[in-house]
Amino acid sequence: MGRAGAGGAVDMLMLALAALALWTLVIVLPWRPWGCIERLEVDRAGAESVDDVTVLIPARDEAAVIGKTLRALSASNPDLPVIVVDDQSGDGTVDVARAAGLHKLAVVSGTSPPAGWSGKLWALQQGLERVSTPWVLLLDADIRLAPGMVSVLRRKAGQGFSLVSLCAEPCWNGVAARWLLPAFVYFFKLLYPFALANRDGSSVAAAAGGVVLVDRRVLLACGGFSAWRDAIIDDCTLAAHVKRAGHACYLGLTRGAASLRSTDMGGIVHMVARTAFVQLRESWWLLLGVSTVMALAFWVPVVAVCVGGASVRSLGILAWLAMAACHVPILRYYRRNLLAALVLPLTATLFLAMTWYSAWRALGGVRSEWKGRRYRRDAGRSPDQSGS
């Protein structure tokens, strides 16, 4: 028993050391995946002309939010061409869009996605065929842009970027949103370090689909949306195609774009499950590997603090503090409660559970589900549509 106990203590000591080493590595990485350096805000610099930009908005059952989105565009850029593709909505989305009063609004009645297409990408493709300007701003129907934000995006593109994408600030309505959504952005930044995504020659390519300004010529040269018609993580796939074609991309945070979509715990679970297992290439081995790393990073420090001896407990405390320190910058950026950094192990556990739920759902043949459409794992089939 004594030897077994001693062996267990040594094992726990090694695990605590490994957890501390892991978080130390994250902190010292030169591209600082935990930082908030890459950001683009509305400023007082001279307004960039947006005469060469068309806004393209795919909309499926967005009556609750699209009016606010369009009125925000009209307030700062009343003459901006806007194309709304109505993706077979059944809630009056078209009526709300037309009532927003935009001078140059075109509403396209979308058709059912052909076999092999995701609904959003098919809607975007139908809208893209009607765009004639050099630049197209892909905007989700629930994203409200601050006055001057389109000009800021266009100015950034003028610095040599063929694609400029921004993570819109989440809607903070509800306890679940205020707790979990900063961590959602944080984990996205760990998975796709913005500094690497913005670096020429780096294999990391990423975008945030809510706000994407892209060079129309480059987009068409990449094959348009048909080149990745079945992509579930369509924003990062778009960035990968643009980057592989030799063009520069930029991804950053912003407070100048805000989501209008409130979401509760169930909504967050559904949002994560929609892409989590696909992100892991639908590989159970990758899922097990990620689970192991997350157990080391987030669970071992807690166990070390709770049941370890003095040395193990000290290492656990240091690892836990390093973990929390990495989460603080995004919490400060979004002006959230910094105490959320201390419960990151619980937060990470919830996101891991959502990822396993995504994988469990895939066992039933469902790659993803969104807005009443189910995307099956077998290739070549159009999405099953329920509730539409």
Side-chain angles (χ1 to χ4, degrees):
M1 291 295 293
R3 290 183 179 179
V10 171
D11 290 343
M12 194 67 238
L13 179 66
M14 296 304 296
L15 286 172
L17 275 171
L20 178 58
L22 177 60
W23 284 112
T24 302
L25 176 62
V26 172
I27 290 174
V28 302
L29 285 172
W31 50 86
R32 300 177 68 186
W34 44 268
C36 298
I37 297 175
E38 300 83 10
R39 53 191 182 189
L40 197 59
E41 311 291 0
V42 175
D43 54 38
R44 297 182 179 179
E48 186 80 14
S49 172
V50 294
D51 293 341
D52 56 356
V53 177
T54 295
V55 181
L56 177 54
I57 303 175
R60 179 174 171 83
D61 294 333
E62 299 286 8
V65 293
I66 195 169
K68 297 176 183 177
T69 296
L70 294 177
R71 284 192 293 273
L73 283 171
S74 178
S76 58
N77 302 102
D79 295 321
L80 196 65
V82 177
I83 298 173
V84 173
V85 182
D86 174 41
D87 187 11
Q88 300 182 306
S89 301
D91 66 344
T93 293
V94 171
D95 294 335
V96 175
R98 287 175 173 155
L102 274 72
H103 301 315
K104 296 184 178 179
L105 173 68
V107 177
V108 177
S109 296
T111 60
S112 297
W117 282 82
S118 74
K120 180 179 179 180
L121 289 174
W122 176 239
L124 287 172
Q125 180 64 30
Q126 293 173 90
L128 181 63
E129 294 170 356
R130 292 161 172 81
V131 175
S132 58
T133 54
W135 291 86
V136 55
L137 174 57
L138 311 177
L139 187 68
D140 277 1
D142 67 313
I143 302 298
R144 179 174 57 197
L145 297 182
M149 200 65 223
V150 179
S151 181
V152 170
L153 286 163
R154 185 62 186 86
R155 186 191 313 140
K156 189 66 178 180
Q159 297 174 7
F161 296 100
S162 295
L163 182 149
V164 179
S165 178
L166 296 174
C167 285
E169 183 172 2
C171 178
W172 303 119
N173 291 342
V175 174
R178 291 192 292 271
W179 171 27
L180 295 177
L181 292 184
F184 179 82
V185 178
Y186 168 71
F187 289 131
F188 178 64
K189 286 171 56 60
L190 287 181
L191 188 62
Y192 295 102
F194 287 11
L196 295 183
N198 298 343
R199 182 183 301 174
D200 290 340
S202 168
S203 60
V204 177
V211 183
V212 181
L213 180 67
V214 61
D215 187 324
R216 175 175 163 270
R217 176 187 57 83
V218 171
L219 178 57
L220 293 175
C222 290
F225 297 107
S226 63
W228 52 95
R229 63 178 67 91
D230 63 343
I232 301 300
I233 310 175
D234 53 88
D235 42 14
C236 293
T237 307
L238 164 60
H241 276 77
V242 171
K243 205 166 185 181
R244 279 200 296 266
H247 302 280
C249 299
Y250 178 86
L251 171 61
L253 300 170
T254 189
R255 295 194 193 97
S259 174
L260 300 168
R261 196 185 308 281
S262 298
T263 184
D264 55 11
M265 179 65 77
I268 294 173
V269 170
H270 187 64
M271 176 184 68
V272 174
R274 182 171 65 96
T275 59
F277 195 51
V278 174
Q279 180 63 63
L280 296 176
R281 302 175 187 174
E282 299 175 86
S283 166
W284 289 92
W285 290 111
L286 281 177
L287 177 58
L288 290 171
V290 167
S291 300
T292 301
V293 172
M294 291 190 71
L296 174 64
F298 296 103
W299 298 348
V300 166
V302 177
V303 174
V305 170
C306 293
V307 303
S311 298
V312 172
R313 187 178 299 114
S314 297
L315 290 172
I317 290 173
L318 289 174
W320 201 336
L321 290 176
M323 175 204 316
C326 289
H327 193 32
V328 165
I330 197 72
L331 291 170
R332 292 185 63 184
Y333 178 74
Y334 285 134
R335 303 184 181 96
R336 298 294 100 199
N337 192 330
L338 298 185
L339 292 178
L342 295 177
V343 297
L344 193 57
L346 176 59
T347 308
T349 300
L350 286 175
F351 278 105
L352 182 59
M354 296 176 204
T355 303
W356 275 92
Y357 170 63
S358 177
W360 174 81
R361 203 168 61 173
L363 287 175
V366 178
R367 297 185 70 216
S368 183
E369 182 177 359
W370 193 249
K371 288 294 183 87
R373 289 190 174 118
R374 286 185 174 181
Y375 300 93
R376 296 291 183 182
R377 295 189 70 189
D378 47 327
R381 289 184 58 186
S382 59
D384 296 332
Q385 297 184 31
S386 59
S388 59

